[in-house]
Amino acid sequence: MKNVISSAVLFGASVEAALYKSKTPPMGWNSYNYYNCYPSEDIMKTNAQGLVDLGLAGLGYVYVTTDCGWMARDRDSEGRLQWNTTLFPSGGQALGDYIHGLGLRFGLYSGAGYYQCGSTDLPASLGFEEIDAQSFAEWKGDSLKYDNCYSSSRTIMADYVSPASTSPERHEKMASVLDGVDRDIAYFICQWGIGEDLGEWAPPIGNVYRISNDIYNSWRSIWRITNQVVPFYKSTAVGAYPDMDMLIVGLNALSIQEERFHFGMWAINKSPLNIGAPTDPKLTPAASLDVLRNEEVIAINQDPLSKQARLIRRYTEEEWDIWAGDLSGSRIVLGVANWKNDSQTVEFDLSVVNVSEARARDVWTAEDLGTISGIQKLELEGHEMRLLVLSDIAAQPSPPRSTGYYAVSNGTFSGGASEISCDEGDCAPAGSKASIVGQGASVIFDSVVVGSEGKKLLGVDFINHELALDSAWGWGSNTRNMTVAVNGGTLKRWAFPISGGDWYESDRMFIEVDGFVAGENRIEFAPSGDSAAPDLVGFELFES
């Protein structure tokens, strides 16, 4: 049965979408990461069989998707897409029958542009949505990955800025057409997260929606994509999942510790888990296959609540984060992420996730740790993410109390800093924001009163929509850095992730700042070096 959900307004008419929506993030295998745009019938059949033989299918990896490169250059006389019979001599329907015969699901690929990605002449579905959707149904497809190449031109493959490319209309149209065919087809939107408000328009119509530019075989792409997924907790729900792109586990791009980190970060953020490595133990290391088969990490990803984890604390200069998310059964998944190249020992109090004490299980070691409480001291290897599942939780009896909110309108501006008014509902909660650009720019708050000296918790409301698109292949990180200094003390830097769907949607990041004295204090927010800081809306101060 199809799940009926309300869709956005498509082309002037309010419609009811009935696209297939899985109850947990889809899992499967995709041809692109290893075979690029050169799949074949043998490749697809071999890897489908491998999912079964290696026990991966039984763990939930059931979608088998032929990515770019499957179609012929010419449509037939009736305008229908044709399979490249040199690569796929049996055709698409026969391939689908084979995959279904293994108890798996048949994933198809096209795009909302003139040509498919990775080519200059292989047709995509722009202008042919109705006839292509009918073909996908006739071939008994179970899902459609819908890409965004050649969206505005027959000559520009990746356009990140034009209205035609950034508009959701082409992807909305295919959703509406798929809804009319006589087959349940899960819709995997691959619009790369460009433009604005992806978290508003995509979840009602897509089972999954790509939130970033492509992953590639480098550790720094894990950092980049992680910083882009942060705000999607606002829209992640049963049937609508943020796609952090296919896994690079098993591609000899990362260390085994980094592969666990990568897999764990994707899992807690409720991304689909699509294997990109061959399902052939001669090609994919056994240790990597073990990562992909970790049932406890998979269970976190597939938890029926479908609650995305939140970034709870960030310690940029020390290079580690704390993440946490709700699980069914009144449990919490706690992720402690070491971004540092080297090993380090970190300490934190469970009160940061509002926990006084709980039973803990280390997911990667499959070890019950018993009851834990208070200060936790973890020795982390370089690029390790420790995953703990907490149960039998006793809440923190006295969480930090708010002692005041300081909007930018209460600040003093210097250098290139300026206040920008926002429309009603934007730049929450204050309604305006500060642009802090260039050396010498800052926003200063005087008379910030606290009751005791030392370190305080600040909930910083910020805006960052500087998406790493062209820069994704280099050092683009989806962050902006800002420094905070108290009473003229040492500047300390924090990397702020993407906050939302445009330059007016704020988010809050909690930071711990030292140097306060009892009574009145002065806090200065400034850029780090010559780069622009995130826009600042204000901050709330908390004391224990």
Side-chain angles (χ1 to χ4, degrees), residues 405-415 417-420 430 432-436 441-448 521-525 536-539:
Y405 189 84
Y406 299 84
V408 291
S409 57
N410 303 126
T412 301
F413 297 81
S414 66
S418 61
E419 185 176 3
I420 300 170
S432 67
K433 64 178 183 175
S435 172
I436 314 174
S442 70
V443 181
I444 298 171
F445 297 86
D446 290 305
S447 302
V448 178
N521 294 264
R522 187 185 212 207
I523 304 180
E524 181 176 7
F525 294 82
L536 178 65
V537 174
F539 67 93

Side-chain angles (χ1 to χ4, degrees), residues 80-326:
R80 294 177 296 194
L81 287 170
Q82 301 296 296
W83 288 75
N84 182 327
T85 55
T86 300
L87 298 173
F88 295 87
S90 302
Q93 187 164 339
L95 177 61
D97 289 343
Y98 178 86
I99 290 170
H100 289 145
L102 295 173
L104 305 174
R105 296 178 182 176
F106 184 28
L108 293 163
Y109 169 93
S110 188
Y114 296 101
Y115 303 125
Q116 69 151 30
C117 295
S119 78
T120 58
D121 56 1
L122 297 183
S125 293
L126 182 62
F128 294 86
E129 290 86 356
E130 289 82 0
I131 194 169
D132 288 356
Q134 190 58 46
S135 293
F136 302 149
E138 290 173 358
W139 296 332
K140 300 178 183 178
D142 298 300
S143 65
L144 174 66
K145 176 183 173 182
Y146 205 52
D147 223 328
N148 202 35
C149 291
Y150 297 102
S151 55
S152 60
S153 163
R154 296 180 187 275
T155 57
I156 300 174
M157 185 165 65
D159 174 0
Y160 302 128
V161 297
S162 76
S165 186
T166 58
S167 169
E169 287 186 358
R170 292 165 297 107
H171 286 81
E172 289 175 329
K173 182 173 182 180
M174 181 55 86
S176 182
V177 173
L178 286 174
D179 184 46
V181 302
D182 189 23
R183 184 169 181 81
D184 288 341
I185 298 178
Y187 188 34
F188 300 165
I189 296 170
C190 188
Q191 190 258 7
W192 318 328
I194 65 177
E196 297 182 348
D197 302 324
L198 176 69
E200 294 180 15
W201 67 261
I205 60 172
N207 192 185
V208 305
Y209 44 97
R210 266 281 294 282
I211 57 95
S212 71
N213 212 332
D214 287 4
I215 196 170
Y216 62 95
N217 290 351
S218 171
W219 168 249
R220 64 178 179 264
S221 69
I222 308 302
W223 168 247
R224 167 176 59 88
I225 294 171
T226 297
N227 283 308
Q228 197 159 354
V229 80
V230 170
F232 287 96
Y233 71 88
K234 304 170 191 176
S235 55
T236 298
V238 174
Y241 307 103
D243 185 358
M244 299 170 74
D245 206 0
M246 294 165 283
L247 297 163
I248 57 173
V249 175
L251 296 177
N252 297 309
L254 306 175
S255 70
I256 194 64
Q257 197 64 263
E258 291 168 343
E259 289 190 338
R260 293 191 188 108
F261 186 117
H262 166 33
F263 192 61
M265 186 64 78
W266 265 231
I268 68 173
N269 281 289
K270 300 302 183 282
S271 175
L273 300 178
N274 284 305
I275 298 170
T279 59
D280 181 346
K282 295 178 181 178
L283 298 174
T284 299
S288 298
L289 291 170
D290 287 341
V291 170
L292 296 169
R293 286 187 294 224
N294 188 292
E295 295 186 41
E296 296 192 36
V297 181
I298 291 171
I300 292 169
N301 178 255
Q302 298 289 294
D303 186 82
L305 284 186
S306 293
K307 292 283 190 180
Q308 181 181 338
R310 300 281 301 274
L311 175 59
I312 302 299
R313 295 285 191 278
R314 171 157 284 178
Y315 304 92
T316 300
E317 293 185 352
E318 296 82 0
E319 299 183 68
W320 65 287
D321 292 342
I322 300 175
W323 295 71
D326 292 336

Side-chain angles (χ1 to χ4, degrees), residues 459-477:
V460 180
D461 294 322
F462 70 99
I463 299 175
N464 174 29
H465 193 62
E466 188 170 306
L467 303 178
L469 297 170
D470 284 316
S471 63
W473 317 116
W475 293 96
S477 67

